[in-house]
Amino acid sequence: MKQQETLASLNVSRETEAQLHDFVALVEKWNPVINLIAKGSIPNIWSRHIEDSAQIIALAKLSDYWIDIGSGGGFPGIVVAICLKEISPSTCVALVESDMRKATFLRQAAALLELNCEIHSSRIESLTIAPAATLSARALAPLPSLLEYAETLVEKDGVCLFMKGQTYQDELAAAQKSWSFEHDIVQSQTDSNAAVLKIRNIRRVAD
């Protein structure tokens, strides 16, 4: 998908479009040093990373706080924060990334783009922050592990948005052995084999 088609599908303002352009330029500048995204995906960055990240906003529960774990190069966290700057400016997006170099990149991007973000450069297991209405993750860990994190990071009536590849059905089956939860499978807008798992009411199954 071409850049122009991607921007049209996102239906964003000129200001948001300009910020997305600025963010893409930052990723392309830093990528040779830090490897934020696969080199081969750079020609398709608008469809594969920008649009892919932005699609989850419509599924979120917008409140004052959104946590994105394993934020890496800012997908989806920075893209979400750029879009929310216009539609939900009071929402603070917390980006969690243990890699110090990537966390440095995220801080610079958030500062340059004047985003409502906070960056946590620590492992998720040792994170001590308030739970959020929305918890997101993209290509981070198997679903059972993500639910372990979600148990303390998402509010009781909050929603988890986990972006998954073609093995998501297997991951759901594995997770249901230890966890009870409600879920919707939303087909990805950018990959016919992928899905966003929208998960609510997570409870650990008793042994």
Side-chain angles (χ1 to χ4, degrees), residues 60-69 80 84 90-96 118 120 127-137 149-162 199-202:
K61 180 178 180 180
L62 296 182
S63 184
D64 292 335
Y65 208 43
W66 177 317
I67 298 175
D68 181 58
I69 54 176
V80 164
L84 292 186
S90 65
T91 300
C92 175
V93 181
L95 289 82
V96 183
E118 55 186 47
H120 298 270
L127 193 63
T128 54
I129 57 175
T134 298
L135 175 70
S136 60
Y149 303 145
E151 191 175 27
T152 57
L153 294 178
V154 70
E155 294 176 353
K156 185 176 181 181
D157 57 349
V159 60
C160 299
L161 302 175
F162 297 142
I199 295 177
R200 304 170 300 278
N201 298 324
I202 301 167

Side-chain angles (χ1 to χ4, degrees), residues 32-69:
V33 179
I34 303 183
N35 193 30
L36 299 167
I37 59 176
K39 183 179 179 181
S41 72
I42 290 179
N44 301 313
I45 190 171
W46 284 94
S47 60
R48 187 164 175 182
H49 297 290
I50 301 296
E51 184 185 11
D52 190 54
S53 296
Q55 67 177 313
I56 68 172
I57 296 173
L59 306 174
K61 180 178 180 180
L62 296 182
S63 184
D64 292 335
Y65 208 43
W66 177 317
I67 298 175
D68 181 58
I69 54 176

Side-chain angles (χ1 to χ4, degrees), residues 143-144 147 169 171-181 183 205:
L143 185 56
L147 296 179
Q169 291 284 10
E171 292 192 39
L172 280 168
Q176 288 167 336
K177 295 178 181 179
S178 302
W179 299 91
S180 168
F181 52 89
H183 71 278
V205 174

